[in-house]
Amino acid sequence: MRQVAVLGATGSIGGSTLDVIARHPDRFRASVLVANQSSEALAALCERFRPDLAIVADPGMEADLVRRLAAAGVRCDVASGADAVTAAAAGPLCDTVVAAIVGAAGLDSTFAVARAGKRLLLANKESVVMGGALLLEALRQGGGELFPVDSEHNAIFQCLPGGRPDLARAGVRRLVLTASGGPFRGRTRADLGTITPDEACAHPKWSMGRKISVDSATLMNKGLEVIEAHHLFAAPVDRIEVVVHPQSLIHSMVDYIDGSMLAQLGNPDMRTAISCALAWPERIDAGVAPLDLAAHARLDFEKPDTDTFRCLALAFQALRAGGDATTILNAANEIAVGAFLAGTLPFLGIAELVERVLEELPAEPVVDVQTLVERDAAARRSARDVLHRAYC
């Protein structure tokens, strides 16, 4: 029986994880549930799953969570704050952790899991984007396991022998990440000048939170996944490619030097990747419908338009720059997306702001997690300053 902590339990990844857990009560138990501010939603999950510990990251919502749990007759420990999340991730109540907190806020807890030697189901891509080498070293020292939950990286994991082998010895020529193209595939820059947040969040294939939906619309999400693939699979940047595949049935591919290309296919449902990571090396029912290829009839592919969707090009640029450039990229993007969602930055301004911050803060060597946190904060200050000067 795996004891699972779900960090980000009220989000889309958390909901999919809990659905898989509920299908296999003999194998998995949700022992720790963590939410950011949604005390009402978290209380409802606690009533259903009866965890040992419930944590709300916002201390101001703890009293409300306690009240709701008492009213529902749910008896479990309650805590709040970022330190409580990190302590729970590393603590004795769980042996498996789903790291699904969005953004840099998930950094500390993800590293805590790695150091504690647990099974880490990684959905917090920022932990790898900011400190990939440091995270893998923490995993090595802690003796834990990392299983990617992003559908693209989980697909690559499934297509590689042994999950994460030495790519050269395995005969891998390149990793090919697929992208849906987002809601604006095929449009030009001239078409994107008046895009609204609601339009950007209307993803054609996936149901996601607003931040990641905007990242998908700008193709920054794919850029962050390129950076992740570089770290997770020790892949040189020139051996990682992106191809737009609007049907979202092929989740990624591995190209081998003998001419073979292996692809992982499935309906666009995160429960496939989550169940794979929870039960690996076994396969379990995830509640996902079988793929009917005849019904879909066709699979299309095209090159990404990096002139229109500059964020993907900026991610490759930051990865090639090395050091902490990807940390700067990620922090600037979070500020830019937040400003766009708030209505203070136009859609095309997201890439413009990120590029200006990368220019203002040249890459520095990665030293440790604390230094990365400081550089992350510096990039956010720079992004806010650029936003104020240029758009407010």
Side-chain angles (χ1 to χ4, degrees):
M1 174 73 73
R2 286 196 172 275
Q3 304 294 321
V4 184
V6 185
L7 314 185
T10 58
S12 59
I13 295 294
S16 294
T17 299
L18 291 170
D19 182 86
V20 174
I21 288 174
R23 293 173 186 275
H24 300 276
D26 58 327
R27 300 184 59 130
F28 310 110
R29 176 173 175 265
S31 57
V32 178
L33 296 179
V34 176
N36 183 25
Q37 293 180 312
S38 306
S39 57
E40 181 178 3
L42 181 57
L45 291 177
C46 290
E47 187 174 3
R48 179 182 178 190
F49 290 95
R50 304 285 167 160
D52 298 315
L53 174 63
I55 303 175
V56 59
D58 182 353
M61 301 304 295
E62 181 176 355
D64 185 66
L65 177 60
V66 170
R67 180 184 63 78
R68 291 180 182 277
L69 292 176
V74 177
R75 302 182 65 180
C76 71
D77 291 334
V78 175
S80 66
D83 290 344
V85 176
T86 299
L93 294 179
C94 57
D95 53 59
T96 301
V97 179
V98 179
I101 296 174
V102 176
L107 189 68
D108 285 345
S109 55
T110 300
F111 270 81
V113 177
R115 297 188 191 101
K118 303 185 179 190
R119 175 170 287 204
L120 171 60
L121 276 61
L122 186 64
N124 173 257
K125 59 172 52 68
E126 289 79 8
S127 296
V128 183
V129 170
M130 290 178 64
L134 296 177
L135 178 63
L136 294 177
E137 177 59 21
L139 276 164
R140 188 190 67 79
Q141 293 183 358
E145 304 174 287
L146 187 154
F147 293 87
V149 169
D150 268 350
S151 60
E152 294 80 4
H153 303 98
N154 188 267
I156 290 172
F157 175 85
Q158 294 187 54
C159 291
L160 289 171
R164 286 192 298 277
D166 180 294
L167 297 189
R169 291 184 179 181
V172 173
R173 178 159 39 205
R174 58 189 173 134
L175 306 180
V176 183
L177 299 173
T178 56
S180 70
F184 309 132
R185 180 178 68 88
R187 299 200 195 182
T188 66
R189 287 182 62 83
D191 299 326
L192 301 178
T194 59
I195 291 298
T196 68
D198 285 343
E199 289 174 318
C201 291
H203 195 280
K205 292 292 182 181
W206 299 95
S207 176
M208 305 177 292
R210 288 175 72 80
K211 192 271 182 183
I212 194 172
S213 293
V214 174
D215 282 348
S216 179
T218 64
L219 293 194
M220 177 61 88
N221 192 50
K222 203 55 49 180
L224 298 179
E225 288 172 5
V226 167
I227 298 166
E228 276 190 279
H230 164 73
H231 290 294
L232 292 177
F233 304 108
V237 61
D238 294 330
R239 293 195 179 185
I240 306 173
E241 295 183 12
V242 173
V243 63
V244 174
H245 167 53
Q247 289 84 7
S248 296
L249 299 179
I250 295 178
H251 301 299
S252 277
M253 297 170 276
V254 176
D255 179 29
Y256 288 88
I257 58 175
D258 64 0
S260 299
M261 179 174 279
L262 301 186
Q264 188 267 333
L265 291 80
N267 284 311
D269 191 318
M270 288 305 301
R271 291 176 297 176
T272 298
I274 291 165
S275 66
C276 172
L278 277 173
W280 188 265
E282 298 179 56
R283 300 277 183 170
I284 60 174
D285 176 23
V288 180
L291 180 60
D292 186 342
L293 288 173
H296 288 283
R298 60 183 290 171
L299 302 174
D300 296 312
F301 305 94
E302 59 193 56
K303 290 184 177 181
D305 178 2
T306 53
D307 291 328
T308 298
F309 300 96
R310 287 280 301 144
C311 285
L312 178 57
L314 291 173
F316 272 103
Q317 174 187 316
L319 184 54
R320 290 191 172 97
D324 61 8
T326 56
T327 296
I328 304 302
L329 172 97
N330 179 71
N333 180 65
E334 287 193 15
I335 295 299
V337 172
F340 168 68
L341 289 173
T344 58
L345 182 70
F347 182 77
L348 292 176
I350 295 174
E352 294 170 359
L353 188 151
V354 171
E355 186 166 22
R356 291 181 65 172
V357 175
L358 286 171
E359 292 171 353
E360 291 189 2
L361 295 177
E364 294 183 0
V366 174
V367 178
D368 52 32
V369 175
Q370 181 56 40
T371 303
L372 285 177
V373 171
E374 293 169 0
R375 287 284 284 173
D376 175 86
R380 291 170 190 274
R381 289 193 297 270
S382 177
R384 293 188 184 99
D385 184 54
V386 170
L387 180 66
H388 179 74
R389 296 197 313 263
Y391 297 100
C392 297

